[in-house]
């Protein structure tokens, strides 16, 4: 593949954990990279050009596409309807369109490693309530189908597994601004007991960036699909242990139902994190000339990235309501429900254990207001 500095690559929405690693890799391979962002950026490298604007705005996008880039790498999150409306435009605007899908399109493969031909949720799940949604795993699969039905062959589909780095870290279905903010504030983090032994695959963003950069304008990748991931898998319990060893993080294990009530994301829990996610990455390693030994081990990568993150915490907006639900879940796990309800439950527990009887027999029972209160509590729990 001939590479010259005149080759221009457009990254749509390339400011996240993966996109920020793809850009310098493309520069190292001889390309000039244009990156869209809704926020202003400055560049110290003439080969990285920032294009300020919203890539979901048709006028802004049309103006960009009129410049005719040699390849487009699309990190944008679309609804199925909005992607269908612009798919043809994107495919016609460049010799190579790289679409970022997700490993979450895959169905339940058990503990058998997932390959690019493994069944997708869209094709294998018989759950009408789920299938009528536009949940992330279904959305990406439907957008892949739109590409396949387009009649074009100048696209590549990339399905990254869970990717960490920068300000992006995951624990179960929680992101950095949800669980790391608590860990750094010395608050307990909740985790579902039932997820503990499920296997997951977490890949360093730098490695995924290298994989994507090596597929750009690689003609052998046209019309192909790749899962971008390491082959190293861990149980969520092992991932949790790594976080705890690095951050001294306190954890409260709760039932899955309590976790789901606090965090939400019902479908992601059921059709992703509660499935075993083990990846066979031989296809992408072969296409990019990489080896598994080239990839960052999870224990080392998390330690490096968390060290950088904790030096300059870059939390996005913290959901206060969710944090209150986390507090309630931790309190429940400790047997300390907040408020009047928690007090009444504790009194009832004392009654069952005979503690209340002992208190009643004490001299304080002779004090009329206290005696009246005790009788009131007893009547409440004997109804």
């Amino acid at each position: 593949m001939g590479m010259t500095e005149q080759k221009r690559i457009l990254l749509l929405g390339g400011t996240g954990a993966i996109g920020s690693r793809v850009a310098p890799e493309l520069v190292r391979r001889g390309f000039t990279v244009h990156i869209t962002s809704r926020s202003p950026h400055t560049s110290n490298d003439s080969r990285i050009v920032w294009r300020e604007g919203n890539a979901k705005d048709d006028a802004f996008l049309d103006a960009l596409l009129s410049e005719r880039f040699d390849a487009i790498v699309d990190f944008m999150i679309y609804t199925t309807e909005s992607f269908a409306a612009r798919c043809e435009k994107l495919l016609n605007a460049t010799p190579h369109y790289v679409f970022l899908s997700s490993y979450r399109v895959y169905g339940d493969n058990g503990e058998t490693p997932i390959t690019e031909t493994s069944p997708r949720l869209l094709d294998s799940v018989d759950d009408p309530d789920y299938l009528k949604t536009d949940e992330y795993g279904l959305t990406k699969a439907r957008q892949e189908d739109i590409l396949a039905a387009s009649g074009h062959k100048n696209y590549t589909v990339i399905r990254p597994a869970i990717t960490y780095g920068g300000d992006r870290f995951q624990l179960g279905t929680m992101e950095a601004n949800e669980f790391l903010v608590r860990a750094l504030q010395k608050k307990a983090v909740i985790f579902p007991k039932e997820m503990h032994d499920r296997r997951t695959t977490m890949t360093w963003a730098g490695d995924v960036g290298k994989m994507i950069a090596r597929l750009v304008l690689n003609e052998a990748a046209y019309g192909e699909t790749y899962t971008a991931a390491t082959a190293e898998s861990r149980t969520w319990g092992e991932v949790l242990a790594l976080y705890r060893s690095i951050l001294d993080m306190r954890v409260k294990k709760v039932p899955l139902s309590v976790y789901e009530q606090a965090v939400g994301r019902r479908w992601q829990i059921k059709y992703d994190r509660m499935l075993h996610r083990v990846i066979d990455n031989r296809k992408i390693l072969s296409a990019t000339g990489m080896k598994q030994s080239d990839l960052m081990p999870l224990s080392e990568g998390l330690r490096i990235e968390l060290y950088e993150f904790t030096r300059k915490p870059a939390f996005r907006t913290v959901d206060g309501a969710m944090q209150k639900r986390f507090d309630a879940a931790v309190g429940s796990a400790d047997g300390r429900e907040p408020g009047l309800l928690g007090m009444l439950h504790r009194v009832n527990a004392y009654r069952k254990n005979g503690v209340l009887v002992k208190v009643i027999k004490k001299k304080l029972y002779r004090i009329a207001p206290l005696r009246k209160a005790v009788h009131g509590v007893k009547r409440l729990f004997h109804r």
Side-chain angles (χ1 to χ4, degrees):
M1 178 173 60
M3 306 266 185
T4 68
E5 289 194 330
Q6 285 70 43
K7 298 280 187 182
R8 299 164 68 246
I9 313 299
L10 175 64
L11 306 188
L12 295 176
T15 58
I18 300 176
S20 61
R21 310 301 176 101
V22 171
E25 289 295 332
L26 288 169
V27 167
R28 278 191 280 272
R29 294 179 67 78
F31 296 115
T32 297
V33 183
H34 294 243
I35 311 170
T36 69
S37 173
R38 287 178 294 178
S39 304
H41 290 266
T42 57
S43 174
N44 297 321
D45 190 331
S46 62
R47 295 167 298 178
I48 295 181
V49 182
W50 290 96
R51 311 297 293 267
E52 186 177 348
N54 185 353
K56 288 188 176 180
D57 178 75
D58 286 334
F60 174 72
L61 181 64
D62 289 346
L64 278 177
L65 298 185
S66 68
E67 298 179 25
R68 190 70 182 178
F69 290 88
D70 295 286
I72 297 172
V73 184
D74 195 346
F75 294 94
M76 300 296 291
I77 305 298
Y78 302 106
T79 64
T80 301
E81 182 180 7
S82 63
F83 182 74
R86 64 172 49 190
C87 175
E88 189 74 17
K89 178 193 302 185
L90 291 164
L91 289 167
N92 285 328
T94 182
H96 190 199
Y97 173 67
V98 179
F99 175 72
L100 268 290
S101 182
S102 170
Y103 86 113
R104 282 174 57 184
V105 302
Y106 292 117
D108 187 357
N109 226 44
E111 294 192 57
T112 303
I114 291 168
T115 70
E116 285 75 6
T117 59
S118 295
R120 301 181 307 171
L121 289 166
L122 181 62
D123 309 315
S124 60
V125 168
D126 183 16
D127 182 342
D129 290 336
Y130 177 57
L131 292 173
K132 70 183 179 184
T133 72
D134 211 21
E135 195 270 337
Y136 192 69
L138 296 178
T139 300
K140 288 296 187 181
R142 288 168 180 149
Q143 292 167 12
E144 290 180 3
D145 288 350
I146 291 170
L147 282 170
S150 68
H152 292 262
K153 297 297 182 184
N154 62 319
Y155 67 85
T156 299
V157 173
I158 300 179
R159 298 168 175 165
I162 296 175
T163 305
Y164 67 91
D167 66 347
R168 189 177 184 195
F169 299 89
Q170 302 83 9
L171 179 62
T173 57
M174 296 179 291
E175 295 288 340
N177 63 313
E178 295 165 343
F179 78 96
L180 283 183
V181 67
R182 294 184 64 85
L184 294 178
Q185 292 174 354
K186 304 303 181 183
K187 292 183 178 181
V189 174
I190 62 172
F191 192 78
K193 301 173 184 177
E194 295 89 335
M195 199 179 291
H196 188 272
D197 294 327
R198 296 298 193 274
R199 300 200 72 83
T200 188
T201 298
M202 298 176 64
T203 311
W204 180 51
D207 289 333
V208 177
K210 292 176 184 177
M211 290 173 176
I212 294 173
R214 294 184 184 199
L215 293 174
V216 170
L217 288 180
N218 182 341
E219 293 186 5
Y222 291 15
E224 295 290 338
T225 297
Y226 299 92
T227 307
T230 178
E232 177 189 359
S233 70
R234 299 287 192 113
T235 66
W236 277 111
E238 291 172 332
V239 172
L240 186 60
L242 285 174
Y243 277 121
R244 295 183 73 173
S245 68
I246 298 167
L247 296 176
D248 192 27
M249 184 169 68
R250 291 195 303 122
V251 176
K252 290 294 180 182
K253 292 186 180 179
V254 299
L256 188 62
S257 59
V258 172
Y259 177 84
E260 184 178 317
Q261 186 175 17
V263 181
R265 301 164 193 160
R266 170 191 176 193
W267 299 124
Q268 184 184 11
I269 293 170
K270 182 175 182 179
Y271 289 118
D272 180 24
R273 302 311 204 239
M274 286 301 292
L275 304 179
H276 290 290
R277 297 307 207 177
V278 181
I279 307 296
D280 180 339
N281 65 351
R282 286 177 294 177
K283 182 176 179 180
I284 197 164
L285 292 183
S286 175
T288 58
M290 300 173 71
K291 301 186 296 292
Q292 177 61 32
S293 59
D294 296 331
L295 308 183
M296 179 78 75
L298 180 61
S299 57
E300 183 179 347
L302 272 184
R303 193 171 298 278
I304 291 169
E305 290 291 340
L306 283 170
Y307 173 74
E308 293 297 327
F309 179 81
T310 54
R311 289 177 64 199
K312 297 179 180 179
F315 297 120
R316 292 165 289 178
T317 302
V318 175
D319 187 333
M322 180 178 286
Q323 293 302 320
K324 288 180 180 178
R325 294 197 298 273
F326 288 172
D327 289 336
V330 169
S332 178
D334 285 340
R336 299 195 312 269
E337 295 179 81
L340 178 61
L341 181 62
M343 181 189 72
L344 292 176
H345 283 182
R346 289 195 298 277
V347 170
N348 192 34
Y350 294 154
R351 178 185 67 80
K352 290 179 179 178
N353 292 331
V355 176
L356 191 58
V357 174
K358 294 178 182 178
V359 173
I360 291 171
K361 288 180 178 179
K362 290 188 176 181
K363 291 181 180 180
L364 288 175
Y365 184 76
R366 297 172 185 173
I367 302 173
L370 293 175
R371 183 169 62 250
K372 184 178 179 180
V374 168
H375 282 298
V377 171
K378 288 178 69 178
R379 285 195 296 272
L380 176 64
F381 287 104
H382 280 290
R383 287 179 181 175

